[in-house]
C-alpha cells in the first residue's frame, strides 16, 4: 500500500505538524465561510433598502400629482364651478391617500434593511468561543447546538 492511499490520521495519531496544518486549513475555511456570510447579509440589506427607496420615490411622485390636483381644485373652487372643483378635490384626496399607503409600505421595507454585520458578528463570536473552548457545546447564534 502506498503512502498516498493511507487514510487521514485521527487527531490522537496525528503529528504536531499535521495538527497545525489541519488547524490552519480549518481556520482558513472558517474565515472564507464567514466572509461569504457577510456578503450574503450585505446583499440582502441593500436589496431591502433599494426597494424601500423606490417605494419612497413612488410616494413622492404620487404626492406631487395629488398636490397638482389640489391646486387645480382650489383654482376651480375660486371660479365657483361646483362640479369641477368637487371632482378635482376628490381626485386629489384619493391620490394623497395612495401616496400615504405607498410611503408606509416603503418605510416598512427600509426598516427591514437591518445592518448586515449583526448576524455575521454573532456567528463569528460563536466561532471564537468554539475555538477557545472546544470541549463544550455552545449554542450557535440561531439557537442550535453544533
Amino acid at each position: 500500500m502506498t503512502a498516498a492511499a493511507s487514510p487521514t490520521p485521527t487527531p490522537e495519531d496525528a503529528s504536531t505538524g499535521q495538527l497545525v496544518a489541519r488547524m490552519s486549513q480549518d481556520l482558513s475555511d472558517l474565515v472564507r465561510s464567514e466572509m461569504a456570510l457577510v456578503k450574503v447579509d450585505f446583499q440582502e440589506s441593500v436589496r431591502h433598502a433599494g426597494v424601500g427607496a423606490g417605494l419612497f420615490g413612488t410616494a413622492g411622485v404620487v404626492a406631487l400629482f395629488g398636490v397638482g390636483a389640489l391646486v387645480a381644485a382650489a383654482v376651480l373652487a375660486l371660479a365657483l364651478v361646483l362640479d369641477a372643483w368637487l371632482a378635482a378635490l376628490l381626485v386629489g384626496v384619493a391620490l394623497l391617500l395612495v401616496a400615504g399607503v405607498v410611503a408606509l409600505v416603503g418605510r416598512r421595507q427600509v426598516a427591514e434593511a437591518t445592518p448586515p454585520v449583526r448576524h455575521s458578528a454573532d456567528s463569528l463570536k460563536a466561532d471564537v468561543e468554539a475555538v477557545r473552548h472546544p470541549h463544550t457545546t455552545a449554542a450557535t447564534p440561531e439557537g442550535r447546538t453544533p
Side-chain angles (χ1 to χ4, degrees), residues 104-123:
L104 289 174
V105 171
R107 185 179 76 178
R108 185 178 313 134
Q109 283 294 316
V110 170
E112 287 182 18
T114 58
V117 179
R118 185 180 63 202
H119 175 72
S120 300
D122 291 344
S123 178

Side-chain angles (χ1 to χ4, degrees), residues 2-24:
T2 64
S6 65
T8 305
T10 62
E12 294 83 19
D13 298 333
S15 69
T16 302
Q18 290 171 325
L19 290 174
V20 169
R22 184 182 297 171
M23 183 185 74
S24 175

Side-chain angles (χ1 to χ4, degrees), residues 13-64:
D13 298 333
S15 69
T16 302
Q18 290 171 325
L19 290 174
V20 169
R22 184 182 297 171
M23 183 185 74
S24 175
Q25 180 62 39
D26 289 347
L27 184 59
S28 178
D29 291 344
L30 179 63
V31 168
R32 265 189 246 109
S33 297
E34 291 298 334
M35 292 304 293
L37 180 61
V38 168
K39 181 180 175 184
V40 168
D41 286 347
F42 184 72
Q43 288 172 341
E44 182 73 13
S45 178
V46 167
R47 185 182 67 81
H48 280 291
V51 169
L55 289 171
F56 271 132
T58 301
V61 169
V62 173
L64 181 65

Side-chain angles (χ1 to χ4, degrees), residues 62-113:
V62 173
L64 181 65
F65 288 137
V67 168
L70 288 175
V71 168
V75 170
L76 292 173
L78 291 174
L80 297 176
V81 180
L82 184 59
D83 292 338
W85 74 262
L86 186 57
L89 182 63
L90 290 175
V91 168
V93 169
L95 286 171
L96 289 175
L97 286 174
V98 168
V101 169
V102 172
L104 289 174
V105 171
R107 185 179 76 178
R108 185 178 313 134
Q109 283 294 316
V110 170
E112 287 182 18

